[in-house]
Amino acid sequence: MANQLPYDGAMMPAELERNISEVEARIRAAERRAGRPSGSVSLLAVSKTKPAELVRQAHRAGLTAFGENYAQEMSEKAQALADLPLSWHFIGPIQSNKTALIAETCDWVHSIDRLKVARRLSEQRPPDKGPLNVLIQINTSAEVSKSGVTVEAGEELAAAVSELPGLALRGLMTIPAPAQGRDAQRQPFNQCRILMEQLSATLPQLDTLSMGMSGDMEAAVEEGAHIVRIGTDIFGPRYN
Ligand SMILES: *Cc1c(COP(=O)(O)O)cnc(C)c1O
């Protein structure tokens, strides 16, 4: 059915630029409300399902970091845009047979939830690229999601991943179930932040919380997010 839907990605440059400015203004306002320094949160533009040309437009409008959740799609866009200084973040579920592609293409992987996959990424990381930055995905809404490890299992996985030579463990990522209201939205982000504080006692290199999407980024920034992952509010709705 997906191929009968309209071309997913047509957007006027002025609309894209306006969306980006609005999202950046929301991030800066949330930083201010949270008493955090301006610029402490960075914007990852989630370009999944959107064409490479739209990513090129977004780069022209000032963005440099893009998130994808299908390895093949990411690799194709990265090749089509190899002339630009972009950084690619893999944020989707990781299939074992796609780890080589991910290890070769990305600067960051946000969705580590198994040691087996982490080991493969470490082994397959090209040495000349330096260690791959990785985040462990924490499942803060176990009843609705299969992705990520529980808060309880996070510590053991973090310790094991931190030993892998091809990876640099940088922090945690979470995708909470949709919730209404700022307080309800903040709760899972708070859990993730507290877990990172605990892990930092033995892993002082942890410095990155990837939390917040179009619908809950303000709550995430208030709870200490360093990267927000925004798709819809930048590129419009997805049709496939
Ligand atoms: C698609 C996706 C996003 C972006 O979601 P929006 O609601 O469109 O902003 C963020 N994070 C992950 C892991 C995603 O898969």
Side-chain angles (χ1 to χ4, degrees), residues 46 48 69 91-92 173 175 212-215 229-233 238:
V46 177
K48 62 187 182 197
N69 63 355
I91 61 175
M173 180 270 240
I175 312 174
M213 320 201 321
S214 295
R229 309 177 309 268
I230 309 297
T232 308
D233 285 357
R238 293 177 292 270

Side-chain angles (χ1 to χ4, degrees), residues 102-206:
I102 294 170
E104 286 158 17
T105 310
C106 287
D107 295 310
W108 287 77
V109 174
H110 295 220
S111 43
I112 301 287
D113 65 358
R114 280 173 298 156
L115 186 55
K116 180 186 163 204
V117 152
R119 283 207 185 102
R120 288 175 67 96
L121 289 170
S122 177
E123 284 159 13
Q124 292 166 335
R125 178 67 169 172
D128 60 302
K129 296 202 155 177
L132 177 62
N133 295 298
V134 299
L135 307 175
I136 289 176
Q137 183 173 348
I138 302 299
N139 186 343
T140 46
S141 313
E143 67 284 1
V144 291
S145 166
K146 298 189 299 292
S147 298
V149 291
T150 60
V151 169
E152 293 72 32
E155 186 169 1
E156 195 181 329
L157 182 59
V161 168
S162 72
E163 301 288 324
L164 298 172
L167 307 183
L169 178 63
R170 299 290 298 273
L172 305 177
M173 180 270 240
T174 195
I175 312 174
Q180 294 306 315
R182 195 64 58 82
D183 289 344
Q185 288 180 348
R186 282 179 67 152
Q187 202 268 334
F189 297 137
N190 181 262
Q191 251 186 300
C192 206
R193 180 234 284 258
I194 287 173
L195 177 61
M196 194 160 90
E197 282 167 9
Q198 289 165 351
L199 297 178
S200 295
T202 48
L203 300 168
Q205 73 273 29
L206 301 186

